[in-house]
mmCIF file of all heavy atoms in Angstrom:
data_model
loop_
_atom_site.group_PDB
_atom_site.id
_atom_site.type_symbol
_atom_site.label_atom_id
_atom_site.label_comp_id
_atom_site.label_asym_id
_atom_site.label_seq_id
_atom_site.Cartn_x
_atom_site.Cartn_y
_atom_site.Cartn_z
ATOM 1 N N VAL B 4 -0.081 -9.427 -8.882
ATOM 2 C CA VAL B 4 0.667 -9.926 -7.705
ATOM 3 C C VAL B 4 -0.198 -10.886 -6.956
ATOM 4 O O VAL B 4 -1.377 -10.520 -6.650
ATOM 5 C CB VAL B 4 1.105 -8.826 -6.809
ATOM 6 C CG1 VAL B 4 1.873 -9.382 -5.607
ATOM 7 C CG2 VAL B 4 1.968 -7.813 -7.580
ATOM 8 N N ILE B 12 -2.080 -18.679 10.604
ATOM 9 C CA ILE B 12 -2.035 -18.664 12.093
ATOM 10 C C ILE B 12 -0.908 -19.579 12.580
ATOM 11 O O ILE B 12 -0.772 -20.684 12.152
ATOM 12 C CB ILE B 12 -3.388 -19.257 12.622
ATOM 13 C CG1 ILE B 12 -4.550 -18.474 12.091
ATOM 14 C CG2 ILE B 12 -3.407 -19.280 14.166
ATOM 15 C CD1 ILE B 12 -5.935 -18.942 12.518
ATOM 16 N N GLU B 20 6.823 -18.252 6.492
ATOM 17 C CA GLU B 20 7.048 -18.009 5.076
ATOM 18 C C GLU B 20 5.779 -17.643 4.400
ATOM 19 O O GLU B 20 4.828 -18.408 4.427
ATOM 20 C CB GLU B 20 7.728 -19.160 4.331
ATOM 21 C CG GLU B 20 8.040 -18.783 2.836
ATOM 22 C CD GLU B 20 9.066 -19.700 2.249
ATOM 23 O OE1 GLU B 20 9.472 -20.733 2.904
ATOM 24 O OE2 GLU B 20 9.427 -19.482 1.129
ATOM 25 N N VAL B 31 11.844 -5.471 -12.228
ATOM 26 C CA VAL B 31 10.918 -5.168 -11.192
ATOM 27 C C VAL B 31 11.628 -4.698 -9.892
ATOM 28 O O VAL B 31 12.806 -5.022 -9.726
ATOM 29 C CB VAL B 31 10.018 -6.374 -10.755
ATOM 30 C CG1 VAL B 31 9.111 -6.808 -11.940
ATOM 31 C CG2 VAL B 31 10.877 -7.572 -10.409
ATOM 32 N N ASN B 32 10.945 -3.842 -9.180
ATOM 33 C CA ASN B 32 11.308 -3.590 -7.782
ATOM 34 C C ASN B 32 10.251 -4.257 -6.901
ATOM 35 O O ASN B 32 9.080 -4.259 -7.361
ATOM 36 C CB ASN B 32 11.268 -2.048 -7.590
ATOM 37 C CG ASN B 32 12.241 -1.311 -8.337
ATOM 38 O OD1 ASN B 32 11.998 -0.101 -8.649
ATOM 39 N ND2 ASN B 32 13.371 -1.900 -8.790
ATOM 40 N N LYS B 49 12.619 -4.115 0.908
ATOM 41 C CA LYS B 49 12.499 -3.851 -0.475
ATOM 42 C C LYS B 49 13.699 -4.454 -1.271
ATOM 43 O O LYS B 49 14.786 -4.646 -0.677
ATOM 44 C CB LYS B 49 12.456 -2.320 -0.770
ATOM 45 C CG LYS B 49 13.710 -1.605 -0.345
ATOM 46 C CD LYS B 49 13.567 -0.146 -0.531
ATOM 47 C CE LYS B 49 14.832 0.696 0.009
ATOM 48 N NZ LYS B 49 14.664 2.086 -0.084
ATOM 49 N N ASP B 85 4.205 -9.749 15.891
ATOM 50 C CA ASP B 85 4.218 -9.852 14.440
ATOM 51 C C ASP B 85 2.772 -9.972 13.815
ATOM 52 O O ASP B 85 2.646 -9.919 12.579
ATOM 53 C CB ASP B 85 5.079 -11.007 13.913
ATOM 54 C CG ASP B 85 6.537 -10.797 14.201
ATOM 55 O OD1 ASP B 85 7.059 -9.621 14.204
ATOM 56 O OD2 ASP B 85 7.198 -11.774 14.561
ATOM 57 N N GLU B 88 -1.140 -7.430 9.039
ATOM 58 C CA GLU B 88 -1.423 -7.840 7.682
ATOM 59 C C GLU B 88 -0.295 -7.486 6.815
ATOM 60 O O GLU B 88 0.307 -6.374 6.923
ATOM 61 C CB GLU B 88 -2.735 -7.141 7.096
ATOM 62 C CG GLU B 88 -3.158 -7.634 5.795
ATOM 63 C CD GLU B 88 -4.657 -7.418 5.482
ATOM 64 O OE1 GLU B 88 -5.247 -6.562 6.189
ATOM 65 O OE2 GLU B 88 -5.206 -8.112 4.599
ATOM 66 N N ALA B 92 4.275 -6.098 -2.877
ATOM 67 C CA ALA B 92 3.950 -5.087 -3.952
ATOM 68 C C ALA B 92 5.144 -5.145 -4.947
ATOM 69 O O ALA B 92 6.238 -5.446 -4.590
ATOM 70 C CB ALA B 92 3.855 -3.718 -3.391
ATOM 71 N N ARG B 101 2.775 5.371 -11.573
ATOM 72 C CA ARG B 101 1.618 4.587 -11.098
ATOM 73 C C ARG B 101 1.879 3.076 -11.014
ATOM 74 O O ARG B 101 1.066 2.351 -10.581
ATOM 75 C CB ARG B 101 0.468 4.816 -12.108
ATOM 76 C CG ARG B 101 0.673 4.226 -13.467
ATOM 77 C CD ARG B 101 -0.522 4.506 -14.396
ATOM 78 N NE ARG B 101 -0.306 4.105 -15.679
ATOM 79 C CZ ARG B 101 -0.604 2.911 -16.204
ATOM 80 N NH1 ARG B 101 -1.140 2.035 -15.407
ATOM 81 N NH2 ARG B 101 -0.411 2.634 -17.444
ATOM 82 N N THR B 109 -1.936 -10.827 3.306
ATOM 83 C CA THR B 109 -2.017 -12.024 4.119
ATOM 84 C C THR B 109 -2.120 -11.562 5.530
ATOM 85 O O THR B 109 -1.312 -10.830 6.063
ATOM 86 C CB THR B 109 -0.711 -12.904 3.933
ATOM 87 O OG1 THR B 109 -0.640 -13.336 2.607
ATOM 88 C CG2 THR B 109 -0.826 -14.092 4.904
ATOM 89 N N LEU B 114 -0.198 -16.694 17.808
ATOM 90 C CA LEU B 114 -0.795 -17.043 19.100
ATOM 91 C C LEU B 114 0.266 -17.074 20.145
ATOM 92 O O LEU B 114 1.359 -17.632 19.957
ATOM 93 C CB LEU B 114 -1.553 -18.320 18.969
ATOM 94 C CG LEU B 114 -2.576 -18.432 17.957
ATOM 95 C CD1 LEU B 114 -3.151 -19.885 17.853
ATOM 96 C CD2 LEU B 114 -3.703 -17.431 18.135
#
Side-chain angles (χ1 to χ4, degrees):
Chain B
V4 181
I12 302 174
E20 181 161 4
V31 294
N32 299 151
K49 63 185 177 183
D85 292 324
E88 191 158 18
R101 66 180 174 93
T109 297
L114 303 175

